[in-house]
Amino acid sequence: AQPRLLPVILVHGYFVDATVWDTWEKLLRNDSITFYSVTFADDDKCGSAASHASELLEIVQNISQLTGSEKVNIVGYSKGGLDARAFLSNGTDNVANLIMIGTPNAGTPLGYLDNFCAPAIWDLRPGASVQEAPRNPHTKYYTISGDWLPIIGGNFIILGPDDGLVSISSSESKSYFESLGRTLNNHIDLLGPQEYGMARDVLMANK
């Protein structure tokens, strides 16, 4: 019999909720991959990476117990990738792979535009401490980035190619991140079939 594929935990981003994963949920079902779309306590779209990290600790343990799987994969969209990095910095050994999609790993200047949705917004400002969360040696880190409107260089407020909210250089900011590719999509459109196709080999690899 085929070994069961690792369950996937889907972590939404700043000021959105688990419904952003609708397309991916269908695609994961088609591939017979067990998944869990996270909703943080009190439906918290604006929580800090630190508070979400402590919730993820519990969520990952629960999913491991429910599925009987020693390891899981995490896919983090936007700030969800920072939440997952904060969780992984605690040294847990049960996450095989983290795939970060449009994650502002070195922040975004748009984080300075207002204080809306605090404290989450503070984690998105360049230099926020979560962006230096230590690497977890038990986990492989991957990125998928958007290169939106490359002819005009994306959003003029952001230096270099970007997805309208997050620059590619921010998304791919650490040397130990491995890029799974870039699409031409805007930040809000980064959870479609094309990005799933880039992540699929990792999710199907079972290790």
Side-chain angles (χ1 to χ4, degrees), residues 87-101:
F87 157 63
L88 288 171
S89 70
N90 299 328
T92 176
D93 63 357
N94 53 356
V95 178
N97 304 287
L98 167 63
I99 299 173
M100 299 172 285
I101 303 173

Side-chain angles (χ1 to χ4, degrees), residues 97-170:
N97 304 287
L98 167 63
I99 299 173
M100 299 172 285
I101 303 173
T103 293
N105 281 305
T108 171
L110 301 182
Y112 289 118
L113 293 183
D114 54 46
N115 276 319
F116 175 71
C117 200
I121 190 77
W122 303 335
D123 288 325
L124 306 184
R125 293 176 178 168
S129 59
V130 66
Q131 296 158 22
E132 296 306 319
R135 177 184 191 174
N136 184 315
H138 306 289
T139 303
K140 288 187 177 148
Y141 293 70
Y142 296 96
T143 62
I144 294 172
S145 312
D147 186 1
W148 175 64
L149 298 181
I151 294 161
I152 63 162
N155 184 331
F156 66 90
I157 299 174
I158 299 172
L159 283 176
D162 61 76
D163 64 15
L165 294 179
V166 177
S167 69
I168 290 175
S169 63
S170 174

Side-chain angles (χ1 to χ4, degrees), residues 33-70:
I33 298 174
T34 304
F35 62 85
Y36 176 84
S37 302
V38 170
T39 298
F40 290 107
D42 307 320
D43 196 18
D44 179 11
K45 301 170 185 178
C46 296
S48 69
S51 72
H52 285 177
S54 56
E55 281 189 60
L56 281 173
L57 179 64
E58 212 168 297
I59 289 165
V60 170
Q61 286 171 339
N62 289 346
I63 299 301
S64 284
Q65 281 167 352
L66 278 172
T67 59
S69 178
E70 278 176 33

Side-chain angles (χ1 to χ4, degrees), residues 152-199:
I152 63 162
N155 184 331
F156 66 90
I157 299 174
I158 299 172
L159 283 176
D162 61 76
D163 64 15
L165 294 179
V166 177
S167 69
I168 290 175
S169 63
S170 174
S171 169
E172 300 178 0
S173 63
K174 298 290 179 213
S175 58
Y176 59 88
F177 296 167
E178 185 180 327
S179 171
L180 293 173
R182 300 168 179 176
T183 72
L184 292 172
N185 291 329
N186 187 302
H187 192 80
I188 55 172
D189 296 324
L190 284 176
L191 295 181
Q194 191 182 359
E195 290 81 11
Y196 182 80
M198 292 174 168

